[in-house]
Amino acid sequence: MCVCLCVKRNMKSVMSGSTFAILLTVCAVVACIVCLVCVPDVEAARCKFADQPNQPNNSWCHQKQYGGYCLSDCSCVGNPTHSDMFDLSCDVSVLSPATPGMWFYSIDTNNTHYNSSVEVIGGAEPQEYDEKNQTNAVGIALAPLTTRPSLLDMYGSYANNSEAIPSMHAVVGWTPCVSINQVRSTLNSVSSTGSAVVGVTWDIPTNPTFPYTDSFSFSVLFKPSTATNFTTLATAVPSTTTSFTATVPGSCDKGDFTVLLAFEHNGVTLNCTENYGFVATALSVAPQSPGQPSVDFTTLTLDTGDFSWGKVTNDGGCDDIVYTLTVYKNDDTTIVGTVDTKNTTASLTFTQELLASTDYLMEVVATNPRGVSDSVQRLFTTPAASKRSSKRKVAVGVGVSVAILCIAGMAFYVFKYQRRSRYHSI
């Protein structure tokens, strides 16, 4: 620029050759000094939050800030020419939701020594971490916070310590307690002792900061749907695991399962307790079949019968069992009687008189709120027609007696009337 001005001015003015030569020399010297001071080295990389002019192609800075996550990431390559070589920040205050979480930073350097500071601003636990005169460090730091901070700031400088080109990769970020809504569960089985075996599965949450915060695990919790509080079934389930087999008491009610994220670092654990999703799962199945049914032939008549059967050996985890007894005519499945009971015996008065010496079928099923068991059946034959219920015999006897008394009374009345008529006629 100085040279051009000098030439332009010399073109408009009359100068001697020696004067022009002197001015030209002065401008050239000034231009060289300006270039040395103001123009950065072509390999220099001033890694601020945004891209800088004249930054080499292999140096860059990014920020990812969406949902509840924040990640600032800079890669600096080249000989530094500025004391504040890198400056990264995450404005956490604008993120949602305002849950606890984990903040972290990472520095990875080559052929350098560096100074850096990390500040956690706002929240309940403001902190500052300094690293001075570190050489070729490769490390990551994690720290849980029970409240969300407002700002994460990381800044510092580095310088080459060898003839090789220096480089540094710096990261600072925040990852919150996340909602694991994709929790699934399946009732695998219920034992005869009433224990329900449930398979619980979930997805690892999509989190752009997890490559830097790989120190996390899961906890699996459970509660009956009618209860208020969860109880913990398992903790420290590895981050590479997405399934767990839970054994809980069987119940007529459903059970709720949830999976929570936990951060771990240097013996400190932050268990996320908010914004979790859960899934409700039945803890019982349909009962097994009742035991073998039987008919009491000593009391069986064409009008009534006494029946019994064995208790179910497995109630499916729910002991709210109702037995249903149904009696059919065997050849056309006409229902002649049915009854529900919680007992294993029942006396049944048939809805229509059974046919003598005929085959009938008794069937028993067990039911709980989860379903109906397979049935158990027994075929039986009714007694001969002469065997009727004692009530029917009494009724017939009473009827006959009444009829005899009526006939006798009428005969006595007629006989007395005839005698009176004869008496008057005499």
Side-chain angles (χ1 to χ4, degrees):
M1 182 183 293
C2 293
V3 174
C4 294
L5 286 174
C6 292
V7 173
K8 188 174 183 180
R9 287 178 182 175
N10 280 294
M11 290 176 64
K12 291 184 178 179
S13 62
V14 179
M15 291 186 178
S16 64
S18 60
T19 304
F20 176 79
I22 294 171
L23 287 174
L24 182 61
T25 303
V26 172
C27 287
V29 172
V30 172
C32 290
I33 294 173
V34 170
C35 290
L36 289 173
V37 174
C38 299
V39 179
D41 190 307
V42 294
E43 290 186 342
R46 188 164 184 254
C47 283
K48 288 290 192 178
F49 176 74
D51 292 342
Q52 299 296 318
N54 302 315
Q55 186 166 262
N57 293 332
N58 55 355
S59 293
W60 45 261
C61 284
H62 300 304
Q63 185 186 44
K64 298 177 181 179
Q65 190 166 6
Y66 54 91
Y69 310 103
C70 179
L71 178 66
S72 288
D73 190 352
C74 276
S75 178
C76 308
V77 179
N79 295 309
T81 58
H82 297 276
S83 59
D84 53 346
M85 189 63 194
F86 58 95
D87 191 346
L88 302 81
S89 64
C90 274
D91 185 1
V92 189
S93 64
V94 300
L95 301 178
S96 179
T99 62
M102 182 76 75
W103 77 269
F104 58 93
Y105 73 91
S106 172
I107 298 177
D108 183 354
T109 67
N110 290 290
N111 306 313
T112 69
H113 65 266
Y114 71 91
N115 299 319
S116 71
S117 294
V118 182
E119 290 183 330
V120 181
I121 303 171
E125 304 163 46
Q127 303 174 49
E128 182 172 355
Y129 296 84
D130 293 319
E131 293 188 11
K132 303 298 184 183
N133 297 318
Q134 300 295 313
T135 302
N136 291 342
V138 178
I140 187 167
L142 300 158
L145 294 179
T146 56
T147 57
R148 184 184 67 179
S150 58
L151 180 67
L152 301 173
D153 192 23
M154 180 179 179
Y155 54 91
S157 62
Y158 74 87
N160 59 319
N161 62 359
S162 68
E163 294 182 356
I165 296 177
S167 65
M168 182 176 69
H169 184 196
V171 177
V172 65
W174 165 262
T175 183
C177 287
V178 295
S179 174
I180 306 178
N181 292 310
Q182 297 301 318
V183 180
R184 300 169 295 275
S185 58
T186 303
L187 179 61
N188 295 335
S189 63
V190 179
S191 68
S192 59
T193 59
S195 295
V197 180
V198 179
V200 183
T201 60
W202 60 90
D203 296 329
I204 295 179
T206 302
N207 184 338
T209 66
F210 276 178
Y212 303 99
T213 56
D214 58 356
S215 182
F216 68 94
S217 62
F218 300 105
S219 297
V220 181
L221 292 83
F222 161 79
K223 75 175 183 65
S225 295
T226 54
T228 302
N229 299 320
F230 280 92
T231 57
T232 302
L233 299 178
T235 58
V237 179
S239 59
T240 55
T241 301
T242 57
S243 64
F244 179 78
T245 300
T247 301
V248 297
S251 172
C252 299
D253 299 321
K254 291 185 176 181
D256 297 338
F257 293 88
T258 188
V259 178
L260 302 183
L261 189 65
F263 296 105
E264 300 173 355
H265 181 63
N266 289 337
V268 179
T269 300
L270 173 64
N271 292 307
C272 296
T273 59
E274 300 178 14
N275 301 310
Y276 51 75
F278 66 87
V279 60
T281 305
L283 299 179
S284 55
V285 294
Q288 291 185 353
S289 302
Q292 187 64 33
S294 63
V295 182
D296 187 349
F297 288 101
T298 63
T299 60
L300 179 65
T301 71
L302 300 180
D303 303 292
T304 63
D306 295 323
F307 304 89
S308 62
W309 52 89
K311 184 179 179 180
V312 295
T313 57
N314 189 333
D315 59 18
C318 176
D319 59 2
D320 186 12
I321 300 294
V322 174
Y323 298 99
T324 300
L325 165 67
T326 306
V327 177
Y328 303 88
K329 192 170 184 294
N330 188 45
D331 56 356
D332 61 6
T333 66
T334 300
I335 297 176
V336 296
T338 185
V339 65
D340 293 330
T341 178
K342 286 182 172 294
N343 302 317
T344 56
T345 60
S347 295
L348 187 62
T349 299
F350 304 122
T351 57
Q352 57 182 271
E353 183 179 296
L354 304 188
L355 301 177
S357 303
T358 302
D359 290 337
Y360 287 84
L361 185 71
M362 69 169 290
E363 179 183 73
V364 183
V365 296
T367 304
N368 69 9
R370 295 290 164 254
V372 182
S373 73
D374 293 334
S375 65
V376 290
Q377 298 176 337
R378 174 162 182 174
L379 193 67
F380 66 94
T381 304
T382 56
S386 59
K387 186 175 183 180
R388 299 182 182 275
S389 68
S390 58
K391 292 181 180 179
R392 185 177 178 87
K393 291 179 180 179
V394 170
V396 172
V398 171
V400 172
S401 299
V402 171
I404 293 174
L405 288 175
C406 290
I407 294 173
M410 292 177 64
F412 176 76
Y413 178 79
V414 171
F415 174 75
K416 185 176 181 180
Y417 179 78
Q418 289 178 346
R419 287 191 60 186
R420 184 178 295 176
S421 297
R422 287 178 187 176
Y423 176 78
H424 287 294
S425 60
I426 295 174

mmCIF file of all heavy atoms in Angstrom, residues 49 63-72 89-95 150 208:
data_model
loop_
_atom_site.group_PDB
_atom_site.id
_atom_site.type_symbol
_atom_site.label_atom_id
_atom_site.label_comp_id
_atom_site.label_asym_id
_atom_site.label_seq_id
_atom_site.Cartn_x
_atom_site.Cartn_y
_atom_site.Cartn_z
ATOM 1 N N PHE A 49 -14.806 -19.546 18.770
ATOM 2 C CA PHE A 49 -16.047 -20.296 18.610
ATOM 3 C C PHE A 49 -16.467 -20.378 17.143
ATOM 4 O O PHE A 49 -16.914 -21.397 16.663
ATOM 5 C CB PHE A 49 -17.159 -19.655 19.445
ATOM 6 C CG PHE A 49 -18.484 -20.320 19.249
ATOM 7 C CD1 PHE A 49 -18.715 -21.552 19.816
ATOM 8 C CD2 PHE A 49 -19.459 -19.744 18.476
ATOM 9 C CE1 PHE A 49 -19.924 -22.193 19.620
ATOM 10 C CE2 PHE A 49 -20.660 -20.373 18.281
ATOM 11 C CZ PHE A 49 -20.896 -21.597 18.860
ATOM 12 N N GLN A 63 -20.533 -25.974 16.906
ATOM 13 C CA GLN A 63 -21.363 -26.033 18.108
ATOM 14 C C GLN A 63 -22.641 -26.792 17.784
ATOM 15 O O GLN A 63 -23.258 -26.557 16.736
ATOM 16 C CB GLN A 63 -21.737 -24.651 18.628
ATOM 17 C CG GLN A 63 -22.490 -24.759 19.961
ATOM 18 C CD GLN A 63 -23.024 -23.430 20.453
ATOM 19 O OE1 GLN A 63 -23.578 -22.667 19.690
ATOM 20 N NE2 GLN A 63 -22.845 -23.173 21.729
ATOM 21 N N LYS A 64 -22.991 -27.698 18.679
ATOM 22 C CA LYS A 64 -24.252 -28.426 18.580
ATOM 23 C C LYS A 64 -25.061 -28.072 19.814
ATOM 24 O O LYS A 64 -24.630 -28.313 20.939
ATOM 25 C CB LYS A 64 -24.011 -29.936 18.516
ATOM 26 C CG LYS A 64 -23.203 -30.379 17.302
ATOM 27 C CD LYS A 64 -22.942 -31.876 17.344
ATOM 28 C CE LYS A 64 -22.108 -32.314 16.153
ATOM 29 N NZ LYS A 64 -21.815 -33.766 16.187
ATOM 30 N N GLN A 65 -26.219 -27.505 19.571
ATOM 31 C CA GLN A 65 -27.033 -27.056 20.697
ATOM 32 C C GLN A 65 -28.494 -27.262 20.338
ATOM 33 O O GLN A 65 -29.085 -26.481 19.608
ATOM 34 C CB GLN A 65 -26.763 -25.576 20.996
ATOM 35 C CG GLN A 65 -27.381 -25.093 22.298
ATOM 36 C CD GLN A 65 -26.805 -23.750 22.710
ATOM 37 O OE1 GLN A 65 -26.039 -23.137 21.970
ATOM 38 N NE2 GLN A 65 -27.166 -23.286 23.883
ATOM 39 N N TYR A 66 -29.064 -28.344 20.815
ATOM 40 C CA TYR A 66 -30.460 -28.621 20.534
ATOM 41 C C TYR A 66 -30.975 -29.563 21.618
ATOM 42 O O TYR A 66 -30.214 -30.296 22.253
ATOM 43 C CB TYR A 66 -30.644 -29.252 19.155
ATOM 44 C CG TYR A 66 -29.809 -30.482 18.897
ATOM 45 C CD1 TYR A 66 -30.293 -31.749 19.192
ATOM 46 C CD2 TYR A 66 -28.532 -30.371 18.357
ATOM 47 C CE1 TYR A 66 -29.525 -32.870 18.955
ATOM 48 C CE2 TYR A 66 -27.763 -31.484 18.110
ATOM 49 C CZ TYR A 66 -28.261 -32.728 18.403
ATOM 50 O OH TYR A 66 -27.500 -33.835 18.170
ATOM 51 N N GLY A 67 -32.300 -29.538 21.800
ATOM 52 C CA GLY A 67 -32.866 -30.324 22.884
ATOM 53 C C GLY A 67 -32.277 -29.869 24.200
ATOM 54 O O GLY A 67 -32.223 -28.687 24.518
ATOM 55 N N GLY A 68 -31.771 -30.778 24.974
ATOM 56 C CA GLY A 68 -31.152 -30.435 26.246
ATOM 57 C C GLY A 68 -29.644 -30.480 26.217
ATOM 58 O O GLY A 68 -29.006 -30.361 27.257
ATOM 59 N N TYR A 69 -29.049 -30.649 25.017
ATOM 60 C CA TYR A 69 -27.620 -30.874 24.918
ATOM 61 C C TYR A 69 -26.890 -29.643 24.386
ATOM 62 O O TYR A 69 -27.442 -28.830 23.648
ATOM 63 C CB TYR A 69 -27.332 -32.049 23.978
ATOM 64 C CG TYR A 69 -28.130 -33.263 24.285
ATOM 65 C CD1 TYR A 69 -29.238 -33.609 23.519
ATOM 66 C CD2 TYR A 69 -27.788 -34.067 25.359
ATOM 67 C CE1 TYR A 69 -29.988 -34.724 23.813
ATOM 68 C CE2 TYR A 69 -28.523 -35.189 25.655
ATOM 69 C CZ TYR A 69 -29.627 -35.518 24.881
ATOM 70 O OH TYR A 69 -30.356 -36.622 25.180
ATOM 71 N N CYS A 70 -25.622 -29.543 24.749
ATOM 72 C CA CYS A 70 -24.770 -28.476 24.229
ATOM 73 C C CYS A 70 -23.367 -29.034 24.055
ATOM 74 O O CYS A 70 -22.837 -29.686 24.956
ATOM 75 C CB CYS A 70 -24.745 -27.282 25.187
ATOM 76 S SG CYS A 70 -23.701 -25.932 24.626
ATOM 77 N N LEU A 71 -22.774 -28.774 22.888
ATOM 78 C CA LEU A 71 -21.440 -29.285 22.607
ATOM 79 C C LEU A 71 -20.691 -28.263 21.762
ATOM 80 O O LEU A 71 -21.135 -27.895 20.686
ATOM 81 C CB LEU A 71 -21.518 -30.617 21.857
ATOM 82 C CG LEU A 71 -20.181 -31.249 21.449
ATOM 83 C CD1 LEU A 71 -19.405 -31.669 22.679
ATOM 84 C CD2 LEU A 71 -20.418 -32.435 20.523
ATOM 85 N N SER A 72 -19.571 -27.749 22.286
ATOM 86 C CA SER A 72 -18.664 -26.890 21.521
ATOM 87 C C SER A 72 -17.385 -27.670 21.279
ATOM 88 O O SER A 72 -16.803 -28.243 22.197
ATOM 89 C CB SER A 72 -18.363 -25.596 22.286
ATOM 90 O OG SER A 72 -19.485 -24.753 22.280
ATOM 91 N N SER A 89 -17.542 -22.081 24.355
ATOM 92 C CA SER A 89 -18.553 -21.865 25.390
ATOM 93 C C SER A 89 -19.846 -22.549 24.995
ATOM 94 O O SER A 89 -20.122 -22.762 23.812
ATOM 95 C CB SER A 89 -18.796 -20.370 25.610
ATOM 96 O OG SER A 89 -19.331 -19.783 24.444
ATOM 97 N N CYS A 90 -20.640 -22.879 26.002
ATOM 98 C CA CYS A 90 -21.973 -23.443 25.823
ATOM 99 C C CYS A 90 -22.937 -22.649 26.695
ATOM 100 O O CYS A 90 -22.776 -22.611 27.922
ATOM 101 C CB CYS A 90 -22.027 -24.920 26.231
ATOM 102 S SG CYS A 90 -21.561 -26.070 24.929
ATOM 103 N N ASP A 91 -23.916 -22.038 26.063
ATOM 104 C CA ASP A 91 -24.943 -21.304 26.808
ATOM 105 C C ASP A 91 -26.025 -22.300 27.208
ATOM 106 O O ASP A 91 -26.962 -22.567 26.461
ATOM 107 C CB ASP A 91 -25.514 -20.188 25.941
ATOM 108 C CG ASP A 91 -26.503 -19.321 26.721
ATOM 109 O OD1 ASP A 91 -26.715 -19.601 27.923
ATOM 110 O OD2 ASP A 91 -27.053 -18.377 26.133
ATOM 111 N N VAL A 92 -25.882 -22.842 28.394
ATOM 112 C CA VAL A 92 -26.787 -23.903 28.846
ATOM 113 C C VAL A 92 -28.120 -23.335 29.300
ATOM 114 O O VAL A 92 -29.125 -24.040 29.363
ATOM 115 C CB VAL A 92 -26.128 -24.713 29.978
ATOM 116 C CG1 VAL A 92 -26.947 -25.941 30.324
ATOM 117 C CG2 VAL A 92 -24.725 -25.137 29.567
ATOM 118 N N SER A 93 -28.175 -22.061 29.618
ATOM 119 C CA SER A 93 -29.387 -21.463 30.191
ATOM 120 C C SER A 93 -30.570 -21.510 29.229
ATOM 121 O O SER A 93 -31.719 -21.450 29.656
ATOM 122 C CB SER A 93 -29.118 -20.022 30.599
ATOM 123 O OG SER A 93 -28.800 -19.231 29.463
ATOM 124 N N VAL A 94 -30.296 -21.588 27.939
ATOM 125 C CA VAL A 94 -31.388 -21.583 26.967
ATOM 126 C C VAL A 94 -31.919 -22.980 26.690
ATOM 127 O O VAL A 94 -32.871 -23.137 25.925
ATOM 128 C CB VAL A 94 -30.919 -20.942 25.640
ATOM 129 C CG1 VAL A 94 -30.471 -19.515 25.872
ATOM 130 C CG2 VAL A 94 -29.794 -21.759 25.001
ATOM 131 N N LEU A 95 -31.293 -23.984 27.285
ATOM 132 C CA LEU A 95 -31.692 -25.356 26.991
ATOM 133 C C LEU A 95 -32.893 -25.755 27.833
ATOM 134 O O LEU A 95 -33.166 -25.196 28.879
ATOM 135 C CB LEU A 95 -30.531 -26.312 27.271
ATOM 136 C CG LEU A 95 -29.246 -26.044 26.485
ATOM 137 C CD1 LEU A 95 -28.176 -27.031 26.890
ATOM 138 C CD2 LEU A 95 -29.499 -26.121 24.994
ATOM 139 N N SER A 150 -25.610 -22.204 33.993
ATOM 140 C CA SER A 150 -26.062 -21.280 32.957
ATOM 141 C C SER A 150 -25.069 -21.185 31.807
ATOM 142 O O SER A 150 -25.459 -20.920 30.676
ATOM 143 C CB SER A 150 -26.291 -19.887 33.551
ATOM 144 O OG SER A 150 -25.092 -19.393 34.149
ATOM 145 N N PRO A 208 -25.807 -36.559 21.343
ATOM 146 C CA PRO A 208 -24.592 -36.255 20.592
ATOM 147 C C PRO A 208 -23.358 -36.135 21.469
ATOM 148 O O PRO A 208 -22.238 -36.136 20.958
ATOM 149 C CB PRO A 208 -24.918 -34.903 19.951
ATOM 150 C CG PRO A 208 -25.934 -34.300 20.854
ATOM 151 C CD PRO A 208 -26.752 -35.447 21.353
#
